Amino acid sequence: MSRAILLRTLRLVLTVLVVLALAFVFLRLTGTPVERMFPEGIDQETEQQLTALWGLDRPWLVQFLDYAGKTLRGDFGHSLLSGQDVVGMYREVLAPTLWLGGLALALSIAVGMPVGIYSALRRGRSVDRVVNSLVFLAYALPGFVVALLLTYVFGYQLNWLPTIGADTAWHYVLPVGVLALGTAASLARYTRGAMLDELGQEYIRTALSKGLHRTDAITRHGLRNAMIPVVTVIGMELQAIVNGSFIIETLFAWPGVGRIFIGAVKDSDYPVFQFGVLFYAAVIVLINYLIDLCYLLLDPRVRVDA
Amino acid sequence: MTPIRSNPRRSPAAIACIAALVAGALAAPVAAQTLRVGVATHPPTLDPQKETGNDAAQFLYNIFDTLIERVPDATPLQFRPGLATSWSRVSPTVWELKLREGVKMHDGSTLTAEDVQFSLDRVFKKADPRFASAQGRFFYNFSHVEVTGPLTVRIHTRVPEPLFEVLISARNAGITSRSHVERLGLDKAMLAPVGTGPYKVTRLTPNRETVLERHDAFWGEKAPLATIRYQRIPEVSARVTALANNEVDFIVSVPPDQERLIPTQRFTVKGVVWPMFHVMVVKMTDGPTRDARIRQAMSLSVDREKLTTALWSGKGKAATAHQFPEYGAPLYIEGLRTIAHDPKRAAQLVKEAGYDGTPIKISYEPGYYLYFDLAAQAIQQMWQAIGLKVQIEQTERYDEKQTFVRPWSNPMYYPDPMGAFDTHWSKASWTSTRGYFKPQHPQWDALYQQARFSLDAQVRKDAYRKLIEIGEQEGGWILLYQPHEAFAMRSDIRWNIPTALRPYSLNFRAGQISVGSRP
């Protein structure tokens, strides 16, 4: 098992490095910070001075090796546009970002899984059909549409909830709700499907026939087995939350990592973008890593294979 | 929050006290107010010499003083003492300015002639490449600052400068603290700006949020607001909602189609037709637009009135000539019309030019100029109607070799013909250096010199008139319209758009904003 963990860890590091190298090249292909800083153009002499100031006049390979070396020493550089320390920029907004994503995930699990289980246990009944329709609607609605709708109702019309920033606990209600909605719907669908699969298995019938209470049979046997595909989905949905937070942060003027990252892409602010890529790649890879570890814990067959 | 409990034993004295407090609160000077401003854009720093964009214009006027100040709403321009109490030209290229004594800067230091020299020389001499924009746009004719006494400086220009007061009162000539910048270094100082203005920066989060607080030691009339919190809210619908939801008090950049969403019972909407043209730049040196007759035809076929009505709900203003009423007398030319709509003549010119059918491509970056995507489609139809083949291309990065028509804007950076012309169509502009704009008229250069540098206002005016008439014939630009935008604010806020300042400036100094009882 320790070999499996080691292999997965090595794969994690390699993936992050490859993503960083690709991002390093692609952003440079789309434009330079000088073009972004002076959209109306600038004389050649100034352009040369600026690219020299930022060290961008060197070959890309030299720039990458320099960046990789500094990264290994924990030096991620400064924003080309504002001069801020890159790590400090992200650190400042890490807490609201993590809270936003964490709460959205927790809420979606807390709502989505029970709804899925409930729906599976009442398969074919009218309540199942109603729940399924609502879940499908929530799943199909794009996050930004829900965001605009909820903002309009609870902010613009009713003046009940704040719609910009992250100053108080109330500021979390709408963005967390919007982010959680699609994920909760997705989880409900997958949980329902997985539960139905398990409830039809012979071991459930065996458990019931040996006198086990239905609740015990479902929770101790069916639910645990149904969790394996659901954990996979949770991992995927966490990635969806990370991606969705980019839009949500813009719509709710949320002081988060996503806004900094998108701004860096728009401005070709290389150091800020590169750290953002590292950060997101690390988060996504880490999520998958944790899911793999969860498999090891949940499914004895994976342990045997490993 | 502690709930307010009512006292069952209300004595007359207590009621009188409460009434007095309430009355006092209502009549309280606006000094205790906090203004929350929702802005669409926010700059990465607030350095007065580095930041030249619309985003920074919303902040700089409140933080930095200039040696000479403009009366914010005077047309034509009027000047008044700022950090200099008097100024005079002592030779054709030298101006002497006496500085105000005892001006306290935001870092607690006292303004010196060295601060003035440091602040201005760094942009005059382009001490850092990041000052290139301000230097190229405003100060390329300024040479250096000479300190001639503890509170006296002389500013040298390369050739006599007719726009000395206009340019030295631009916020990019704002004065900062030499010792502060030298102590922190430029990068850190740009994030912790120090000026002498009525508000000081207490928090700056680049691209996101800035908090200003009243500078109690300000040399002039104290600021009317205790705190101003600028928050960037990029989405227009989110800005409107934040205002309606009482999360901000004041928002900027509301386009015409969103104005109706502002609840007018509680909020005031102030619209403005910006002194700025949305422009199509046409390449004069290459490709299908190389022939002047084709370029003239393109301009003649555009129905600007129709575009303005359809796109800007009739609130914008169709271009008639490259000038703005904001110049005032004597430089604004009343009734001048150099732009015409004549599709018949346009079709004739296309025939005369022997147009070979090479497609003319309109390239643009989606979303950069409001409504340009719609304008491009309408103009495509107008050009096709006179016999041109037209393609539309969306791009994130212009390929200079393949771009023949692209959108641009010509804002009036200062209220003078040169404020929208020299900053865009000079030989140093990208339109010239990248081969788009190359006027062929033999008088062009001589007229340009007169319009820019003559010390006689009438000579400048006459030269400018000829220049823009020739410019229309050259066809390097197609001026479309002046966009309309609105500010929206709580109805108890009284504020006017400062016509003498650079567009997008938010002026929250004493006498320029008041917050209090509803009108």
Side-chain angles (χ1 to χ4, degrees):
Chain A
M1 183 159 160
S2 58
R3 188 168 165 267
I5 293 175
L6 182 70
L7 278 173
R8 282 173 167 88
T9 310
L10 280 175
R11 204 171 63 192
L12 181 152
V13 173
L14 193 66
T15 308
V16 170
L17 273 177
V18 170
V19 167
L20 182 64
L22 287 174
F24 193 91
V25 172
F26 282 134
L27 189 65
R28 278 162 174 76
L29 287 174
T30 60
T32 72
V34 179
E35 288 169 4
R36 299 297 178 180
M37 195 184 273
F38 301 102
E40 295 170 2
I42 198 76
D43 62 279
Q44 211 171 358
E45 184 199 340
T46 307
E47 187 168 349
Q48 283 167 355
Q49 287 172 342
L50 276 169
T51 46
L53 179 77
W54 294 327
L56 302 176
D57 52 346
R58 301 167 298 167
W60 285 4
L61 183 63
V62 176
Q63 289 182 43
F64 184 72
L65 291 176
D66 180 44
Y67 178 72
K70 284 181 175 163
T71 300
L72 286 175
R73 294 196 298 273
D75 175 7
F76 294 94
H78 292 78
S79 160
L80 302 180
L81 272 78
S82 71
Q84 282 175 293
D85 170 51
V86 168
V87 180
M89 284 172 75
Y90 281 94
R91 192 193 301 127
E92 197 182 345
V93 293
L94 191 60
T97 302
L98 291 180
W99 275 113
L100 179 65
L103 286 171
L105 182 68
L107 183 65
S108 56
I109 292 173
V111 173
M113 284 176 55
V115 167
I117 294 167
Y118 179 80
S119 190
L121 295 178
R122 277 154 184 74
R123 182 186 185 183
R125 296 190 200 171
S126 52
V127 67
D128 176 38
R129 284 197 289 274
V130 171
V131 168
N132 248 334
S133 303
L134 290 175
V135 163
F136 190 76
L137 183 70
Y139 184 72
L141 275 174
F144 73 91
V145 173
V146 179
L148 290 174
L149 197 71
L150 294 183
T151 305
Y152 179 75
V153 174
F154 294 105
Y156 182 84
Q157 286 294 348
L158 299 172
N159 298 166
W160 284 359
L161 289 168
T163 59
I164 54 157
D167 292 352
T168 67
W170 291 110
H171 285 84
Y172 282 76
V173 176
L174 286 178
V176 166
V178 173
L179 259 185
L181 186 70
T183 310
S186 179
L187 276 179
R189 288 179 68 221
Y190 278 103
T191 307
R192 180 178 180 275
M195 278 301 287
L196 287 177
D197 282 350
E198 296 305 324
L199 290 176
Q201 297 289 326
E202 286 187 353
Y203 69 86
I204 293 284
R205 215 174 308 150
T206 308
L208 291 173
S209 59
K210 76 177 182 185
L212 205 62
H213 191 272
R214 183 175 156 80
T215 312
D216 284 347
I218 290 167
T219 52
R220 282 167 55 188
H221 296 282
L223 188 59
R224 179 162 179 172
N225 283 321
M227 277 305 94
I228 295 169
V230 172
V231 163
T232 311
V233 175
I234 289 176
M236 284 157 56
E237 290 304 323
L238 199 49
Q239 292 172 27
I241 285 178
V242 171
N243 294 334
S245 68
F246 285 16
I247 299 168
I248 297 303
E249 285 182 13
T250 302
L251 289 174
F252 290 99
W254 189 265
V257 168
R259 270 176 89 188
I260 293 181
F261 188 62
I262 286 178
V265 175
K266 207 169 131 266
D267 296 333
S268 295
D269 197 342
Y270 298 152
V272 181
F273 172 76
Q274 283 154 196
F275 186 80
V277 168
L278 268 181
F279 176 81
Y280 277 110
V283 167
I284 298 293
V285 171
L286 196 67
I287 290 167
N288 285 303
Y289 180 71
L290 291 174
I291 290 167
D292 283 356
L293 293 184
C294 284
Y295 285 158
L296 291 172
L297 295 173
L298 280 171
D299 191 346
R301 289 168 301 179
V302 179
R303 283 201 290 271
V304 171
D305 289 349
Chain B
M1 198 170 70
T2 311
I4 299 167
R5 297 178 193 281
S6 59
N7 185 348
R9 291 184 298 168
R10 294 188 188 92
S11 70
I15 290 171
C17 277
I18 290 165
L21 282 172
V22 170
L26 289 175
V30 290
Q33 296 287 351
T34 292
L35 185 74
R36 300 163 300 168
V37 184
V39 291
T41 54
H42 189 297
T45 79
L46 285 173
D47 186 283
Q49 273 75 50
K50 173 180 173 261
E51 303 295 344
T52 56
N54 297 341
D55 47 8
Q58 303 168 117
F59 302 78
L60 296 179
Y61 181 74
N62 301 312
I63 305 162
F64 294 96
D65 291 319
T66 47
L67 296 174
I68 302 170
E69 292 285 352
R70 298 176 198 164
V71 176
D73 50 3
T75 305
L77 279 182
Q78 287 174 24
F79 300 102
R80 62 187 182 194
L83 293 177
T85 52
S86 65
W87 60 94
S88 60
R89 193 196 293 265
V90 293
S91 83
T93 58
V94 181
W95 289 73
E96 186 169 275
L97 300 97
K98 304 279 183 204
L99 302 182
R100 195 175 290 279
E101 198 176 347
V103 171
K104 286 286 176 197
M105 307 192 88
H106 299 158
D107 62 350
S109 62
T110 303
L111 176 79
T112 65
E114 280 73 23
D115 289 316
V116 172
Q117 183 186 42
F118 172 79
S119 304
L120 296 181
D121 265 357
R122 62 181 193 155
V123 63
F124 293 171
K125 296 178 179 174
K126 209 173 72 174
D128 186 283
R130 286 169 287 189
F131 301 143
S133 186
Q135 195 266 352
R137 190 172 290 169
F138 303 114
F139 305 116
Y140 59 87
N141 186 36
F142 287 73
S143 156
H144 65 280
V145 180
E146 179 191 359
V147 174
T148 53
L151 287 172
T152 312
V153 293
R154 285 186 171 191
I155 296 180
H156 296 252
T157 62
R158 297 176 207 286
V159 299
E161 179 55 84
L163 300 175
F164 178 83
E165 285 135 319
V166 182
L167 296 174
I168 219 69
S169 59
R171 222 39 46 177
N172 294 115
I175 304 301
T176 187
S177 160
R178 176 181 179 166
S179 60
H180 174 75
V181 177
E182 288 182 344
R183 191 172 63 248
L184 288 187
L186 180 61
D187 282 345
K188 285 187 179 161
M190 287 195 298
L191 297 170
V194 163
T196 58
Y199 298 95
K200 59 186 175 187
V201 179
T202 54
R203 187 161 82 227
L204 165 55
T205 309
N207 302 314
R208 202 177 82 209
E209 187 184 21
T210 287
V211 176
L212 307 183
E213 284 178 14
R214 187 192 300 113
H215 175 40
D216 288 323
F218 179 56
W219 56 270
E221 192 180 342
K222 298 290 176 283
L225 303 163
T227 308
I228 307 171
R229 182 185 182 193
Y230 293 84
Q231 235 177 319
R232 181 174 172 229
I233 311 172
E235 288 297 313
V236 62
S237 60
R239 281 198 301 283
V240 171
T241 301
L243 182 74
N245 201 22
N246 193 33
E247 294 177 76
V248 292
D249 308 306
F250 188 112
I251 58 171
V252 307
S253 297
V254 182
D257 60 354
Q258 301 282 318
E259 272 183 47
R260 61 186 172 78
L261 295 174
I262 309 280
T264 47
Q265 314 89 314
R266 294 186 289 136
F267 301 99
T268 305
V269 177
K270 274 190 190 287
V272 60
V273 175
W274 285 124
M276 169 168 81
F277 291 118
H278 280 193
V279 181
M280 290 171 103
V281 178
V282 185
K283 192 175 268 176
M284 299 171 73
T285 57
D286 194 16
T289 53
R290 192 172 181 166
D291 191 313
R293 289 168 295 186
I294 296 290
R295 299 194 300 271
Q296 287 163 11
M298 288 160 70
S299 180
L300 281 169
S301 63
V302 174
D303 188 341
R304 294 161 176 87
E305 291 290 349
K306 208 170 263 177
L307 285 177
T308 309
T309 307
L311 301 180
W312 298 92
S313 311
K315 291 180 171 178
K317 191 176 166 192
T320 52
H322 200 305
Q323 63 162 358
F324 302 105
E326 282 80 356
Y327 306 159
L331 293 163
Y332 179 67
I333 306 161
E334 286 286 349
L336 179 67
R337 192 174 188 100
T338 60
I339 296 169
H341 176 227
D342 188 348
K344 278 186 189 165
R345 172 76 185 132
Q348 196 184 338
L349 281 167
V350 172
K351 273 187 196 154
E352 284 174 20
Y355 174 62
D356 64 0
T358 308
I360 296 171
K361 198 158 59 182
I362 304 172
S363 308
Y364 71 95
E365 193 180 333
Y368 194 85
Y369 293 106
L370 189 61
Y371 302 144
F372 186 78
D373 50 343
L374 301 174
Q377 290 173 46
I379 290 167
Q380 181 184 34
Q381 301 294 317
M382 293 171 192
W383 287 351
Q384 282 174 343
I386 59 165
L388 298 173
K389 280 190 182 166
V390 189
Q391 295 172 350
I392 295 179
E393 176 199 50
Q394 293 191 352
T395 181
E396 291 295 328
R397 192 184 186 190
Y398 293 106
D399 175 356
E400 301 295 356
K401 282 184 185 163
Q402 296 299 317
T403 303
F404 299 101
V405 182
R406 57 180 276 188
W408 199 26
S409 67
N410 278 191
M412 181 199 73
Y413 285 108
Y414 47 88
D416 182 274
M418 290 297 115
F421 201 80
D422 190 43
T423 46
H424 298 108
W425 302 102
S426 75
K427 279 196 159 44
S429 166
W430 68 265
T431 47
S432 298
T433 57
R434 295 189 202 170
Y436 285 89
F437 188 64
K438 197 174 180 186
Q440 300 296 311
H441 197 282
Q443 277 188 294
W444 181 269
D445 288 345
L447 287 169
Y448 200 106
Q449 280 298 107
Q450 283 181 3
R452 173 64 184 87
F453 289 111
S454 173
L455 298 179
D456 183 329
Q458 190 58 45
V459 171
R460 290 188 65 220
K461 182 178 181 177
D462 293 344
Y464 187 66
R465 179 184 192 129
K466 286 180 194 156
L467 210 54
I468 55 177
E469 283 169 352
I470 293 169
E472 285 301 331
Q473 294 306 309
E474 293 280 349
W477 66 63
I478 297 174
L479 306 181
L480 298 177
Y481 36 67
Q482 291 178 238
H484 179 279
E485 268 187 357
F487 298 85
M489 62 211 80
R490 270 185 7 223
S491 55
D492 62 337
I493 295 173
R494 277 174 297 287
W495 173 83
N496 285 317
I497 295 159
T499 50
L501 304 180
R502 180 201 189 289
Y504 297 97
S505 295
L506 295 179
N507 53 328
F508 297 141
R509 293 179 175 228
Q512 296 166 19
I513 185 169
S514 65
V515 184
S517 55
R518 289 168 194 273

